[in-house]
């Protein structure tokens, strides 16, 4: 196995840029993938983000393209999201800085004018999301005739996002004679299928078995009865400013993410907390990610859209405010910390309605996640009537998924033992103990808008 970048016989411009980036030794995926790519083979790379997979394909492509040539792109890199596309472009810029190679990154959500103007200036590498690439191609702004390298990054995410049709169309419009590289964090059935359509006798390089969380990340779960307790716990953890230096709080919906962000902003100020999700404008997202990278921003609240391709080192903690329902997202979320050989910590909040998914996650990662006691000083709130109903319905739904004959236990009597909470019926007098503690834990944070966060309730 090559132990240094010199072993790949890369040219001095690239080696100097690698040295400037501070990389001293290739990572395992780089050790395995760079030589076969240089020798012209198709590659199927099974590797998560955080393993150095971007440089594993970028370095040999730069080496092969050598210098700027003509107007039309010779390499096309398809990425599922804008964030990942920008990340790849940043990698290319880092390693191509002593060459004259030109890169354009294309994505939707912005008018195409600037992107078209850049393409016109001449380009060697296009990094693009599938839809925007096809739009610009169909409008006659891209000539694909000279494309010799086609990379699909995070192919599993592309399949999850329903890009299979676009991928097939892209395969139809690029020359047949080309080198193909496909990278994916997991090897799902659809990825397997697309790799069959796409790769010719590929060399398979794998650095971690399917869905293995990085070993550098410690994983813990707090079993909490309800949303309010999650908020109390989050606030409690965030008090530890020395340990929790830079964290991402993942939420399952945009609404929850917005509400958590507002809640935390009231406590810590708007400069310390920002939210990113698909409804945020492109510039807002870029500004938030940059502020987070530069260290000015301590807390980034995000949905799963943002969990891929977000390359920020020194993320001390990932907090799963909600257990992800697409269980593979768990691995991607926690891969945001512990990157590039550093250590990190992933903390998950799980309500009784989440247990089902938590068990599935443990099966997927083939590990038990350590259960932590709720720390002293965190008030365990009562579960409100609506939330108890929503949780019970969710549990019924899950049981029905496992057993279609299940009749449903959704009944008031059965709700009594959800979490640690006492049953409080509408009209019950509030527990005086909870009043005091709530005053301490929540109101000091500026109060949480009651109507703000709601569990996803399924209408009968
Ligand atoms: P990736 O998996 O491509 O998203 O890369 C994850 C992180 O690892 C990025 O911050 C890279 O800059 C970093 N990285 C990639 N290769 C190396 C290397 N050989 N040595 C140190 N860090 C690296």
């Amino acid at each position: 196995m090559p132990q240094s970048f010199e072993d790949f016989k890369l040219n001095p411009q690239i080696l100097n840029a690698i040295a400037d980036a501070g990389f001293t030794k290739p990572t395992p995926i780089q050790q395995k993938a760079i030589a076969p790519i240089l020798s012209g083979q198709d590659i199927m790379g099974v590797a998560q983000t955080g393993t150095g997979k971007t440089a594993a394909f970028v370095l040999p492509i730069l080496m092969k393209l050598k210098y700027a040539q003509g107007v039309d792109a010779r390499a096309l890199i398809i990425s599922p999201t804008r964030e990942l596309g920008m990340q790849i472009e940043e990698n290319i810029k880092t390693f191509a800085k002593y060459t004259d190679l030109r890169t354009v990154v294309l994505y939707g959500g912005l008018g195409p004018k600037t992107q078209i103007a850049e393409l016109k200036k001449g380009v060697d590498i296009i990094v693009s999301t599938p839809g925007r690439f096809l739009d610009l191609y169909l409008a006659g702004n891209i000539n694909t005739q000279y494309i010799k390298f086609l990379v699909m990054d995070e192919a599993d995410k592309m399949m999850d996002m329903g890009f299979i049709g676009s991928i097939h169309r892209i395969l139809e419009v690029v020359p047949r004679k080309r080198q193909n590289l496909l990278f994916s964090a997991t090897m799902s059935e659809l990825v397997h299928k697309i790799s069959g359509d796409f790769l010719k006798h590929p060399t398979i390089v794998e650095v971690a078995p399917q869905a293995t969380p990085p070993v550098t990340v410690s994983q813990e779960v707090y079993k909490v009865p309800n949303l309010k307790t999650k908020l109390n716990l989050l606030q409690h953890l965030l008090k530890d400013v020395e340990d929790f230096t830079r964290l991402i709080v993942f939420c399952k919906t945009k609404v929850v993410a917005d509400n958590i962000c507002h809640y935390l902003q009231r406590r810590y100020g708007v400069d310390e907390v920002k939210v990113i999700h698909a409804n945020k404008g492109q510039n807002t997202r870029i500004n938030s990610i940059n502020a987070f990278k530069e260290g000015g921003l301590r807390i980034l609240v995000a949905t799963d859209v943002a969990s891929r391709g977000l390359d920020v080192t020194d993320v001390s903690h990932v907090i799963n405010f909600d257990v992800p329902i697409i269980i593979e997202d768990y691995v991607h979320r926690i891969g945001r910390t512990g990157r590039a050989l550093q250590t990190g910590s992933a903390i998950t909040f799980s309500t009784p309605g989440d247990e089902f998914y938590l068990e599935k996650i443990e099966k997927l990662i083939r590990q038990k996640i350590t259960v932590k006691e709720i720390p002293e000083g965190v008030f365990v709130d009562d579960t409100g009537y609506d939330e108890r109903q929503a949780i019970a319905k969710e549990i019924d739904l899950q049981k029905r998924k496992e057993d279609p004959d299940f009749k449903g236990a959704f009944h008031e009597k059965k709700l009594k033992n959800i979490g640690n909470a006492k049953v409080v019926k509408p009209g019950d007098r509030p527990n005086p103990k909870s009043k005091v503690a709530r005053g301490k834990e929540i109101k000091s944070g500026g109060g949480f808008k009651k109507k703000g966060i709601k569990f996803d309730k399924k209408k009968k």
Side-chain angles (χ1 to χ4, degrees):
M1 259 319 142
Q3 291 303 315
S4 82
F5 286 103
E6 279 76 16
D7 294 342
F8 299 118
K9 306 208 165 24
L10 298 168
N11 62 35
Q13 289 95 321
I14 297 176
L15 285 175
N16 288 341
I18 293 172
D20 288 356
F23 295 4
T24 49
K25 187 175 177 277
T27 63
I29 187 76
Q30 292 160 5
Q31 289 177 334
K32 289 184 185 172
I34 292 178
I37 300 175
L38 284 171
S39 73
Q41 295 172 39
D42 276 11
I43 293 285
M44 158 91 221
V46 185
Q48 298 168 238
T49 51
T51 54
K53 68 175 170 64
T54 317
F57 63 80
V58 164
L59 293 171
I61 288 179
L62 295 180
M63 177 72 190
K64 290 185 147 224
L65 296 176
K66 284 201 174 66
Y67 39 76
Q69 205 176 301
V71 179
D72 300 314
R74 288 170 292 149
L76 171 61
I77 302 171
I78 301 290
S79 140
T81 62
R82 315 179 250 209
E83 277 79 13
L84 180 66
M86 286 160 61
Q87 209 64 67
I88 296 169
E89 187 209 18
E90 223 169 83
N91 264 265
I92 297 173
K93 289 212 165 120
T94 303
F95 301 119
K97 69 184 206 189
Y98 297 120
T99 76
D100 59 355
L101 289 165
R102 302 150 301 172
T103 312
V104 171
V105 59
L106 311 174
Y107 45 80
L110 293 178
K113 250 189 177 169
T114 323
Q115 296 173 1
I116 294 170
E118 276 198 65
L119 286 166
K120 287 230 163 75
K121 279 193 250 159
V123 59
D124 301 290
I125 306 171
I126 293 177
V127 184
S128 182
T129 52
R132 180 50 67 99
F133 176 82
L134 283 171
D135 288 348
L136 293 180
Y137 169 80
L138 293 171
N141 296 301
I142 297 171
N143 175 8
T144 54
Q145 194 183 347
Y146 300 102
I147 290 175
K148 291 192 184 64
F149 302 97
L150 179 59
V151 183
M152 265 186 225
D153 200 8
E154 301 204 343
D156 49 347
K157 181 76 173 175
M158 283 205 258
M159 298 302 113
D160 290 349
M161 292 172 79
F163 286 141
I164 190 153
S166 308
I167 301 295
H168 278 127
R169 293 185 73 189
I170 294 173
L171 293 178
E172 280 167 20
V173 304
V174 292
R176 282 180 173 216
K177 206 168 166 322
R178 55 170 202 261
Q179 186 176 0
N180 301 299
L181 313 173
L182 182 144
F183 285 83
S184 184
T186 54
M187 192 58 194
S188 68
E189 216 170 290
L190 268 176
V191 172
H192 197 73
K193 190 187 168 312
I194 193 83
S195 67
D197 300 341
F198 173 60
L199 304 169
K200 289 187 200 78
H201 314 295
T203 301
I204 297 171
V205 289
E206 192 169 355
V207 288
Q210 263 196 44
T212 302
V215 285
T216 48
V217 179
S218 71
Q219 299 173 64
E220 289 162 352
V221 59
Y222 288 100
K223 306 264 175 117
V224 289
N226 51 38
L227 179 62
K228 280 185 187 160
T229 311
K230 282 187 184 182
L231 289 166
N232 298 347
L233 178 59
L234 180 62
Q235 252 195 55
H236 178 88
L237 295 174
L238 291 180
K239 279 186 202 151
D240 185 353
V241 283
E242 272 175 26
D243 197 19
F244 287 70
T245 50
R246 195 186 296 187
L247 56 140
I248 307 179
V249 180
F250 280 109
C251 306
K252 65 180 162 195
T253 67
K254 286 177 270 209
V255 177
V256 176
D258 273 335
N259 283 315
I260 298 289
C261 176
H262 293 146
Y263 177 71
L264 294 175
Q265 279 180 338
R266 282 198 293 275
R267 187 172 179 88
Y268 297 107
V270 289
D271 292 336
E272 209 165 303
V273 190
K274 296 263 188 287
V275 62
I276 53 168
H277 56 59
N279 281 9
K280 290 276 154 193
Q282 182 64 10
N283 287 340
T284 316
R285 284 162 77 172
I286 296 173
N287 289 343
S288 304
I289 291 171
N290 285 344
F292 190 61
K293 276 188 181 178
E294 283 154 17
L297 188 69
R298 179 172 164 231
I299 306 165
L300 191 65
V301 183
T303 55
D304 287 295
V305 173
S307 76
R308 302 264 188 143
L310 186 66
D311 179 21
V312 186
T313 42
D314 294 335
V315 174
S316 63
H317 293 78
V318 161
I319 295 187
N320 293 314
F321 190 83
D322 300 307
V323 174
I325 290 173
I326 297 172
I327 54 172
E328 285 80 8
D329 281 336
Y330 177 82
V331 182
H332 300 298
R333 285 181 178 190
I334 75 168
R336 303 304 97 210
T337 180
R339 284 167 87 74
L341 313 172
Q342 296 167 18
T343 55
S345 168
I347 298 170
T348 301
F349 297 172
S350 170
T351 65
D354 295 324
E355 293 281 304
F356 177 81
Y357 298 106
L358 196 66
E359 276 171 27
K360 285 197 182 289
I361 288 169
E362 289 184 330
K363 267 197 200 130
L364 176 79
I365 61 173
R366 298 177 301 277
Q367 286 175 31
K368 283 269 170 216
I369 304 171
T370 314
V371 180
K372 293 265 286 189
E373 288 288 319
I374 296 180
E376 238 173 80
V378 173
F379 182 69
V380 177
D381 246 298
D382 289 337
T383 310
Y385 181 78
D386 284 353
E387 193 174 349
R388 276 188 293 118
Q389 300 253 19
I391 292 177
K393 277 189 192 170
E394 171 65 39
I395 294 172
D396 268 12
L397 202 79
Q398 295 160 359
K399 290 206 174 126
R400 223 168 280 136
K401 263 190 209 161
E402 303 277 274
D403 171 13
D405 294 332
F406 180 73
K407 292 279 181 292
F410 177 57
H411 189 270
E412 182 63 16
K413 276 186 195 149
K414 310 245 174 179
L415 301 180
K416 285 200 171 175
N417 295 327
I418 287 178
N420 308 342
K422 163 184 166 287
V423 175
V424 184
K425 297 205 187 74
D428 273 3
R429 282 178 47 195
N431 174 355
K433 194 173 144 222
S434 74
K435 236 184 180 175
V436 174
R438 215 175 281 145
K440 258 192 226 150
E441 286 291 327
I442 298 185
K443 291 213 175 116
S444 60
F448 186 71
K449 250 201 246 159
K450 268 206 175 144
K451 66 178 169 75
I453 294 187
K454 279 193 180 148
F455 268 65
D456 297 338
K457 274 186 283 168
K458 297 200 176 59
K459 293 240 157 61
K460 264 195 209 167

